[in-house]
Amino acid sequence: MKIGITYTILRKEELMIRENAERFGETVMLHEDNVRFPYKYDLDVVIIRNVSYFKALYLAKLFEEHGVPTVNPFSIMLEAGDKVFSTLKLSKKVPVPRWGVSFSENSAKKIAEELGYPIVSKPVFGSWGRLLAKINDKDSLEGLLEHKKWMKNPLYNIHYFQEFIQKPGRDIRSYVIGGEFITAIYRYSDHWITNTARGGRAEPCDNSEVEEISIKAWEAFGDGALAIDIFESPNGLLVNEVNPNMEFKNATRVTGVNIAEKLVEYAVEVAKR
Ligand code: ADP
Ligand code: ZN
Ligand code: MG
């Protein structure tokens, strides 16, 4: 078995993945500076670990079209990595926060009125809580829309909003790989944005409802390795989003679960399909 791992920098995650992949045969580290297409790579599967979502997405497509399956597969990267596309998939299977998408300032204001303040504005792509904004009133919404109007990336002018969920000082991050529930953590923070990349504190979460909703969220996509964000709302659990390029060092540290091993085992399964 020849397992490729594409990467931008060797974070703890990539080191853990490499260590586990080495048990299955040859591991080929592919720094993004050294990858080019068209090219015939002699690999059975590639685990895509680039930091940039778009580099990861395009690499998945290029490898797949050159005969090398990827983790995650391109279609999962595409639909799970976009907050609008994934909301559409998720809402068919699990409860999600009330949401709205608009393409103009006027319709954004209508959505805000329908959802009711406060609302949360997010770019359709991205992670680590980047460019999230909690909007408490119409004045701040107008300010946000004015700023977004002048941002160069056209994706920033696809306006995605959610109702603001009153969380109990924490949210939940779970991991489902190849349909198997792996583990979950709570992320505690004094800030409403709880990402551990922004200082949220991780603690183990052992809860059968979390397990159930996580598997259902995975079923909305039907394949892949997904990190899932879940909110404990006053009306029960809601799935906020899924992430197709998972970070897991804090989850592994506090739960002791070897998520990298599960990811590699899944990649080996994908290679054999
Ligand atoms: P990212 O892809 O950047 O992680 P998320 O949608 O997961 O974006 O948002 C980051 C964090 O912000 C969430 O984990 C949560 O703590 C907080 N958050 C996001 N949306 C909401 C919301 N609608 N209500 C309350 N908190 C939210
Ligand atoms: Zn995310
Ligand atoms: Mg998130």
Side-chain angles (χ1 to χ4, degrees):
M1 178 75 54
K2 259 189 162 179
I3 302 175
I5 301 171
T6 66
Y7 69 102
T8 308
I9 44 163
L10 289 174
R11 297 169 288 186
K12 279 197 181 135
E13 281 88 349
E14 284 69 45
L15 297 174
M16 289 189 262
I17 293 168
R18 181 174 69 186
E19 193 186 311
N20 283 280
E22 276 165 358
R23 287 191 289 116
F24 291 89
E26 197 181 329
T27 301
V28 182
M29 298 306 290
L30 298 161
H31 188 275
E32 61 193 29
D33 280 356
N34 304 322
V35 179
R36 66 193 152 79
F37 288 93
Y39 188 79
K40 183 96 194 75
Y41 286 91
D42 174 26
L43 295 166
D44 295 304
V45 63
V46 176
I47 302 175
I48 309 269
R49 295 294 310 173
N50 306 68
V51 174
S52 152
Y53 166 63
F54 288 103
K55 284 184 185 171
L57 180 69
Y58 279 79
L59 278 169
K61 184 67 177 172
L62 285 158
F63 275 110
E64 279 186 2
E65 294 295 325
H66 284 74
V68 185
T70 60
V71 169
N72 271 313
F74 169 73
S75 64
I76 301 294
M77 287 276 196
L78 182 68
E79 298 215 272
D82 179 290
K83 287 188 170 66
V84 175
F85 299 163
S86 58
T87 298
L88 293 171
K89 286 249 173 210
L90 287 169
S91 59
K92 295 200 177 110
K93 280 273 183 184
V94 288
V96 299
R98 290 165 54 235
W99 59 277
V101 173
S102 75
F103 303 92
S104 76
E105 296 188 30
N106 275 338
S107 42
K109 285 177 193 168
K110 287 199 183 114
I111 285 174
E113 276 158 31
E114 281 159 15
L115 291 178
Y117 293 104
I119 55 172
V120 175
S121 159
K122 308 180 185 185
V124 296
F125 69 98
S127 53
W128 304 333
R130 271 171 305 180
L131 288 173
L132 255 65
K134 178 172 172 244
I135 311 287
N136 295 330
D137 59 28
K138 194 169 168 220
D139 284 346
S140 6
L141 177 64
E142 284 175 354
L144 173 95
L145 292 168
E146 174 66 12
H147 279 78
K148 287 179 69 167
K149 185 163 82 189
W150 297 102
M151 288 169 84
K152 285 217 178 84
N153 188 330
L155 286 172
Y156 290 143
N157 279 290
I158 296 169
H159 305 299
Y160 175 75
F161 300 102
Q162 284 177 340
E163 63 173 325
F164 177 75
I165 304 296
Q166 205 64 56
K167 309 187 299 292
R170 68 181 189 192
D171 65 10
I172 298 166
R173 154 58 60 88
S174 71
Y175 296 85
V176 179
I177 300 180
E180 183 193 347
F181 176 82
I182 307 300
T183 192
I185 55 168
Y186 290 111
R187 301 185 297 193
Y188 286 86
S189 176
D190 296 333
H191 198 278
W192 67 273
I193 298 176
T194 58
N195 298 54
T196 57
R198 291 186 44 165
R201 179 169 50 82
E203 277 187 25
C205 165
D206 184 6
N207 177 307
S208 59
E209 268 180 64
V210 167
E211 189 168 335
E212 248 170 66
I213 200 173
S214 299
I215 289 173
K216 275 197 200 152
W218 182 91
E219 283 169 355
F221 298 87
D223 198 5
L226 297 176
I228 302 164
D229 289 354
I230 300 167
F231 297 159
E232 297 158 286
S233 84
N235 305 316
L237 297 181
L238 302 173
V239 177
N240 169 48
E241 66 145 358
V242 292
N243 298 281
N245 199 349
M246 51 172 65
E247 290 179 308
F248 52 80
K249 66 171 188 290
N250 292 306
T252 288
R253 177 173 53 80
V254 301
T255 64
V257 175
N258 189 346
I259 299 171
E261 180 177 42
K262 295 288 183 183
L263 193 65
V264 170
E265 283 170 3
Y266 169 67
V268 170
E269 201 184 296
V270 168
K272 289 179 181 161
R273 276 178 188 171

